[in-house]
Amino acid sequence: MPAIVDHDKRREQVASVAYDLVAEMGIEAVTFRQVAGAAGSSTAIVSNYFENKGHLLHEVYRIANRRVMDRLQVAFEQDEDLVDCLSVVLPVTEENRRTWHVWLAFWGRAHCDGTYREETARNAGESVGLYYRMLARRYGVDEAKRDPQVETLARRLVATVGGVALQCVLAPDDWPLSRLREIIADEIATLDAAFAQRSA
């Protein structure tokens, strides 16, 4: 009797192997042959799940975005302190550094490739939405309603977290976790003050 293959799981495994290779070597260095070798399979198996390299790479980019959003969502649902919650995306662990390396590998394509541009915009929108919910909960605002001021503050927070995280990727020795958390905490205090002014 032939073995039963979980095709969704196999496809996910192949994409995860490609994700690791992109994190280590960048986009251009990754080939179906390398992915197959690292996955312990044949190139026919890889091409069975992905039509071409572009299709596979797009899935790698989606994996990076999903993993970070999942980590943020879990931290948010556990009602962690806001600085602790946002710290789960910072490139201070091996897993997070790999994610940021994957992002950097793809962001150069986003400005000239519609597929990556759309995925980048979709992920950015989800990020703002989640940060909005974090601040709405913090300020006692209905999460289901769009408060323009809270949305502006959420965008500022996204920019701050993303900005310091990127600096950490590029110069990790200059950006220890303590410094990253301090800057994020300072920005949250500034946002809190800005929100408080409207009810003063």
Side-chain angles (χ1 to χ4, degrees):
M1 182 176 180
I4 298 176
V5 177
D6 185 333
H7 291 287
D8 289 339
K9 185 175 181 179
R10 176 68 67 84
R11 184 180 188 277
E12 183 179 333
Q13 289 172 339
V14 170
S16 184
V17 167
Y19 174 96
D20 289 338
L21 290 173
V22 170
E24 293 169 7
M25 304 185 304
I27 293 174
E28 300 306 328
V30 175
T31 66
F32 268 24
R33 185 178 299 279
Q34 286 175 317
V35 173
S41 62
S42 67
T43 55
I45 294 294
V46 178
S47 60
N48 182 55
Y49 295 108
F50 299 96
E51 299 172 10
N52 51 50
K53 180 178 174 178
H55 186 205
L56 173 58
L57 290 176
H58 185 249
E59 180 61 21
V60 168
Y61 190 36
R62 290 180 64 246
I63 288 172
N65 292 337
R66 267 200 319 269
R67 287 181 179 179
V68 169
M69 288 302 297
D70 287 348
R71 286 197 288 274
L72 266 177
Q73 185 68 43
V74 168
F76 174 61
E77 290 174 354
Q78 292 176 344
D79 204 25
E80 292 189 13
D81 171 80
L82 187 53
V83 176
D84 290 338
C85 183
L86 298 173
S87 294
V88 303
V89 306
L90 299 175
V92 294
T93 66
E94 181 59 28
E95 181 179 6
N96 282 1
R97 277 190 290 271
R98 295 173 76 78
T99 299
W100 278 88
H101 289 163
V102 170
W103 271 342
L104 284 174
F106 284 104
W107 283 344
R109 292 190 169 194
H111 76 285
C112 59
D113 186 312
T115 300
Y116 293 109
R117 187 163 55 249
E118 289 175 10
E119 174 64 18
T120 301
R122 183 201 61 76
N123 186 64
E126 285 189 9
S127 295
V128 171
L130 183 51
Y131 279 54
Y132 177 92
R133 291 173 58 206
M134 291 176 184
L135 292 182
R137 179 178 294 181
R138 184 177 182 87
Y139 300 144
V141 173
D142 187 346
E143 295 177 20
K145 294 182 179 179
R146 302 310 292 183
D147 183 307
Q149 184 191 19
V150 175
E151 182 161 355
T152 296
L153 299 181
R155 291 182 182 278
R156 285 175 54 179
L157 190 55
V158 168
T160 297
V161 174
V164 296
L166 182 57
Q167 293 301 315
C168 180
V169 174
L170 299 176
D173 292 341
D174 293 335
W175 294 87
L177 178 58
S178 58
R179 176 173 291 175
L180 299 173
R181 288 175 59 90
E182 180 182 359
I183 292 173
I184 292 171
D186 285 348
E187 178 64 8
I188 291 171
T190 300
L191 301 183
D192 289 349
F195 183 80
Q197 284 182 355
R198 78 176 189 179
S199 56

